[in-house]
Amino acid sequence: MRRGMSTCVISVDIIYQWQVGSFLFWFVLAMYFDNIIPNASGVRKPIFYFLTPGYWTGKGGNKMEEGSIFSCIGSVPPVEHVASEDQDVLEEETLVKQQAMDGIVDPNIAVQIHGLAKTYPGTTKLGCCKCTKTSPFHAVKGLWMNIAKDQLFCMLGPNGAGKTTSISCLTGINPITGGDALIYGDSVRSSVGMSNIRKMIGVCPQFDILWDALSSEEHLHLFASIKGLPPPSINSTAEKLLADVKLTGAAKVRAGSYSGGMKRRLSVAVALIGDPKLTTGMDPITRRHVWDIIQESKKGRAIILTTHSMEEADILSDRIGIMAKGRLRCIGTSIRLKSRFGTGFVATVSFTESKKDNSNASGDSHEPVKRFFNEHLKVEPADENKAFMTFVIPPRQRETAYGKDGF
Ligand SMILES: Nc1ncnc2c1ncn2[C@@H]1O[C@H](COP(=O)(O)OP(=O)(O)O)[C@@H](O)[C@H]1O
Ligand SMILES: [Mg+2]
């Protein structure tokens, strides 16, 4: 070795320090990018989220953002306010606004929706020196309503009305872009509020999210642990829920071999883990045994059900809201909506032929029925054949016959 040249020695200690240092560096960087890069639902934290005191103290509710981190900021237009033409919707809106202004928190209200709006940002493409963006879409344009405790609120509406979007905003899957919603007083806009909400909410999605290889008992154990139920209570909770949804016999059978109805019932059981105060997004297929479970589950919690089925809404709900194109179009009890918008009752009378004499029987029995409907309700048969006779009774006649409140 020549004189004057220093030797370059890298000790194992230095290598070790470098490895630990670079691990920490990449770990912090990964955590940072995990927070600021939008997740599958487009939700992300602000770029400087770690500078907000709320992030470290867990108080104050730092807000979530959405869209790409490189999106053209501020280009989402606000939803223009259009007053509803429906009297009931206007009354509901005025009531909720009044309560919000006065700061009234009615203990009988589970969910207060204050002008909830959701705009999906258009997609952004970064070209050479230019940012091209497809136009944003207003999926929910300002909902104002209260959802009461111990009741089932049914959200009806055609495809694309904004039902799923509203539910995913209430459950925190999608961040809301306007207004607010309070669930038992906690705001969905605040991350602290949202963590409280997650503890008292159960969601039953439109499609069963189940694992074929797990049995119903294992599903309930898994979800109960994720929800943070105390381990000693998990067994009894699972047993009770399995009995409620009539799956005790299939508790140890893998979900992959279940029928569609059994899978739906298991999804309902998963949504009811931990006795949530609010159960939402329930979208059961028209099956009577699921209806029974829902009727039973109403006690002690608020349920929001979204469906396409008028029959389901009629049977299960205490109150119905109908949405279209992102707005609430009408709201009220099933009887109220029927009396305002329904064509009336359809009464179908069926006739069975007499075995003794079938030559003239139908004609003979038809006449008194027709006379009865004509005298009492002033209606003629809308449809008539040998075996059936159908009468459409308009709401006006129904009121005459049964009093103003109907049945
Ligand atoms: N992630 C999304 N990005 C852009 N538009 C969306 C997204 N999700 C839903 N939409 C649009 O929002 C509208 C409301 O959708 P949705 O809430 O699913 O309606 P519903 O559940 O009442 O059928 C639809 O027109 C739909 O195309
Ligand atoms: Mg939907």
Side-chain angles (χ1 to χ4, degrees):
M1 197 176 287
R2 274 183 253 159
R3 254 188 211 172
M5 271 191 80
S6 61
T7 45
C8 173
V9 180
I10 300 175
S11 68
V12 174
D13 265 9
I14 292 174
I15 295 173
Y16 181 70
Q17 281 164 16
W18 266 99
Q19 277 192 337
V20 171
S22 59
F23 167 79
L24 287 175
F25 174 76
W26 290 114
F27 181 72
V28 170
L29 214 59
M31 284 227 324
Y32 174 69
F33 280 111
D34 189 45
N35 276 302
I36 66 156
I37 291 174
N39 67 12
S41 308
V43 183
R44 66 176 177 85
K45 288 204 171 111
I47 291 177
F48 296 112
Y49 71 91
F50 53 89
L51 295 181
T52 52
Y55 176 73
W56 300 104
T57 58
K59 288 178 193 148
N62 52 322
K63 288 173 187 171
M64 298 299 230
E65 297 196 359
E66 66 177 336
S68 147
I69 34 176
F70 300 114
S71 59
C72 303
I73 295 156
S75 57
V76 176
V79 180
E80 83 181 270
H81 181 77
V82 178
S84 174
E85 287 162 16
D86 186 87
Q87 199 54 39
D88 291 345
V89 174
L90 275 177
E91 269 175 31
E92 178 80 6
E93 192 172 323
T94 317
L95 172 79
V96 182
K97 278 182 180 166
Q98 192 60 46
Q99 287 180 340
M101 255 171 37
D102 299 345
I104 297 173
V105 183
D106 188 336
N108 291 318
I109 303 293
V111 184
Q112 293 172 299
I113 304 181
H114 294 168
L116 187 145
K118 172 72 192 178
T119 304
Y120 287 110
T123 47
T124 310
K125 277 186 196 143
L126 273 178
C128 178
C129 316
K130 168 165 117 172
C131 167
T132 47
K133 195 171 185 192
T134 57
S135 52
F137 181 77
H138 300 299
V140 181
K141 301 170 184 167
L143 280 187
W144 290 90
M145 61 178 164
N146 279 339
I147 295 170
K149 274 184 193 170
D150 300 328
Q151 280 198 5
L152 188 143
F153 181 84
C154 195
M155 223 182 242
L156 278 174
N159 273 338
K163 306 181 297 292
T164 305
T165 304
S166 308
I167 296 289
S168 42
C169 287
L170 291 178
T171 50
I173 297 168
N174 266 331
I176 62 177
T177 42
D180 200 355
L182 303 181
I183 296 173
Y184 289 95
D186 279 309
S187 162
V188 296
R189 293 204 76 127
S190 122
S191 53
V192 177
M194 208 56 239
S195 64
N196 289 338
I197 292 167
R198 282 199 187 99
K199 286 182 199 140
M200 55 180 172
I201 201 168
V203 185
C204 179
Q206 205 162 349
F207 305 104
D208 302 307
I209 303 172
L210 304 170
W211 288 272
D212 285 352
L214 297 188
S215 67
S216 48
E217 197 180 60
E218 286 162 342
H219 272 98
L220 294 181
H221 278 240
L222 177 71
F223 282 106
S225 319
I226 294 173
K227 220 158 178 195
L229 257 66
S233 71
I234 290 182
N235 262 339
S236 56
T237 306
E239 264 171 38
K240 186 186 172 297
L241 284 171
L242 287 170
D244 287 350
V245 299
K246 298 181 179 62
L247 280 177
T248 309
K252 300 218 183 304
V253 179
R254 287 182 178 194
S257 59
Y258 285 4
S259 69
M262 288 164 90
K263 285 186 180 170
R264 208 80 273 261
R265 279 184 278 154
L266 179 54
S267 296
V268 174
V270 169
L272 296 177
I273 287 175
D275 246 342
K277 286 182 182 170
L278 176 76
T279 312
T280 184
M282 287 192 139
D283 200 352
I285 28 182
T286 318
R287 295 245 168 87
R288 292 199 179 262
H289 46 246
V290 178
W291 291 356
D292 288 343
I293 303 164
I294 293 174
Q295 286 286 22
E296 279 297 305
S297 316
K298 263 194 219 177
K299 291 170 209 148
R301 62 169 68 87
I303 300 181
I304 306 174
L305 176 111
T306 63
T307 178
H308 290 259
S309 159
M310 293 275 195
E311 191 197 2
E312 204 159 70
D314 190 15
I315 291 173
L316 294 172
S317 64
D318 296 288
R319 215 154 160 246
I320 299 173
I322 302 182
M323 284 184 77
K325 294 186 180 166
R327 292 188 204 281
L328 189 65
R329 300 295 160 139
C330 49
I331 190 164
T333 60
S334 147
I335 290 176
R336 169 89 180 149
L337 296 183
K338 274 186 200 159
S339 69
R340 286 192 61 205
F341 306 105
T343 48
F345 284 112
V346 177
T348 305
V349 184
S350 69
F351 299 90
T352 46
E353 271 184 26
S354 155
K355 278 184 186 155
K356 286 181 209 156
D357 174 25
N358 55 9
S359 55
N360 202 13
S362 63
D364 282 353
S365 49
H366 277 208
E367 275 316 310
V369 175
K370 274 192 205 172
R371 249 199 326 274
F372 174 85
F373 274 88
N374 196 312
E375 271 172 27
H376 292 276
L377 299 163
K378 300 195 173 39
V379 286
E380 292 295 329
D383 197 6
E384 182 180 358
N385 66 23
K386 224 173 162 189
F388 287 99
M389 206 185 265
T390 308
F391 296 89
V392 177
I393 307 160
R396 183 172 42 81
Q397 265 86 339
R398 200 197 69 203
E399 278 169 20
T400 323
Y402 300 102
K404 206 164 165 36
D405 292 332
F407 295 107

